[in-house]
Amino acid sequence: MILGEVLALIAGGLTAGAINAIAGGGSLITFPLLVAIGLPGVAANVSNALSVAPGYAASAVGSRPDLTGQGRRVLTIIPTIIVGALCGSAILLLTPRGVFDVVVPFLLLGAALMMAFQTKLRNLARGPRDDGSRRSTVLMQLSVFACGVYGGYFNAAMGVLLIAFLALVLDEPLRRISALKNVFSAVVGTTTVLVYGIFGPVNWAVVAVLAPATMVGGYVGARLARRLPSEILRWTIVAFTVTVAVVLFIT
């Protein structure tokens, strides 16, 4: 990599880490950046997933106070999301790479829509949920499995999807749902690190530069999260992602 690319990765990683801490969706910055510097779609996706995984783990550790009383729920759901992540990773690695290049603009647009309607999705969660019935349990497991498949195949905006799905089926305050999201994101991140690290076309030079930058950005972003206008940042990400998706459609 040339110096300009290294500096771009550092800046992108710092920005993405901060965005993840403030609004979520930081991978919507780093993934297009990796494509822009010349990585093929699948290589950019797996390298990006490995780069942001340490940040997920750090977020999960920081969420421990809001996980009190949720230990049984976490242990029940972790196997499901691991299976989902393995399925998503297998789909990515076993299907022709040209398929990912065709699908990724649609995934970016879907991620942008999730970011755009994040608040509305959360509002849908109001009302009685998680009543302990078999139906609610099955719905939660299916939701988490779907998020795992998505995260294993395409990591960007997985946290937004997890919060939306979990909030629809759990009768918990948003901060406790966000804590669950951090744990499950870390589980998906760990799973993809193991799978992609062994079988994926990882660009380790990119990971070596990007991963520390996302961790620093995440730490700084967490400190600034209550001071910055997250709504403005969220809509900036949406506009940027839609633009990238349109460019990929055209090219």
Side-chain angles (χ1 to χ4, degrees):
M1 290 186 292
I2 62 175
L3 179 60
E5 292 176 344
V6 172
L7 293 176
L9 288 175
I10 293 174
L14 291 171
T15 303
I19 288 171
N20 272 331
I22 297 167
S27 290
L28 297 176
I29 298 293
T30 48
F31 174 75
L33 176 61
L34 296 180
V35 173
I37 67 173
L39 266 67
V42 174
N45 188 46
V46 299
S47 300
N48 179 67
L50 265 67
S51 298
V52 301
Y56 289 148
S59 298
V61 172
S63 299
R64 283 181 298 176
D66 289 320
L67 291 169
T68 302
Q70 300 199 81
R72 182 176 179 182
R73 177 181 289 157
V74 169
L75 293 176
T76 301
I77 296 177
I78 279 180
T80 302
I81 202 164
I82 289 176
V83 172
L86 289 172
C87 290
S89 300
I91 293 171
L92 176 68
L93 297 177
L94 297 177
T95 54
R97 295 181 183 178
V99 172
F100 181 82
D101 294 334
V102 172
V103 171
V104 71
F106 295 97
L107 294 176
L108 285 172
L109 287 176
L113 287 173
M114 284 189 288
M115 288 288 290
F117 295 102
Q118 186 180 43
T119 303
K120 292 184 180 298
L121 288 171
R122 288 176 179 174
N123 289 338
L124 287 174
R126 294 174 179 171
R129 302 174 303 283
D130 192 25
D131 57 3
S133 67
R134 179 180 178 84
R135 179 178 178 277
S136 65
T137 300
V138 171
L139 182 59
M140 182 169 62
Q141 293 286 348
L142 289 175
S143 299
V144 170
F145 176 78
C147 291
V149 173
Y150 177 91
Y153 187 80
F154 186 62
N155 185 266
M158 176 183 63
V160 177
L161 186 65
L162 272 167
I163 285 180
F165 276 26
L166 290 172
L168 289 172
V169 296
L170 296 179
D171 189 16
E172 293 281 3
L174 187 58
R175 59 182 176 79
R176 285 171 62 82
I177 290 174
S178 182
L180 282 176
K181 179 265 296 183
N182 290 335
V183 172
F184 298 149
S185 295
V187 171
V188 173
T190 302
T191 304
T192 55
V193 163
L194 295 174
V195 175
Y196 293 163
I198 297 173
F199 302 107
V202 180
N203 187 312
W204 292 105
V206 164
V207 174
V209 174
L210 197 55
T214 58
M215 293 181 69
V216 173
Y219 176 79
V220 174
R223 299 291 293 267
L224 298 176
R226 296 183 177 180
R227 302 181 184 180
L228 296 180
S230 59
E231 281 297 297
I232 294 176
L233 181 59
R234 182 163 64 92
W235 283 105
T236 301
I237 297 171
V238 170
F240 173 78
T241 305
V242 171
T243 301
V244 172
V246 171
V247 170
L248 290 176
F249 270 122
I250 294 174
T251 56

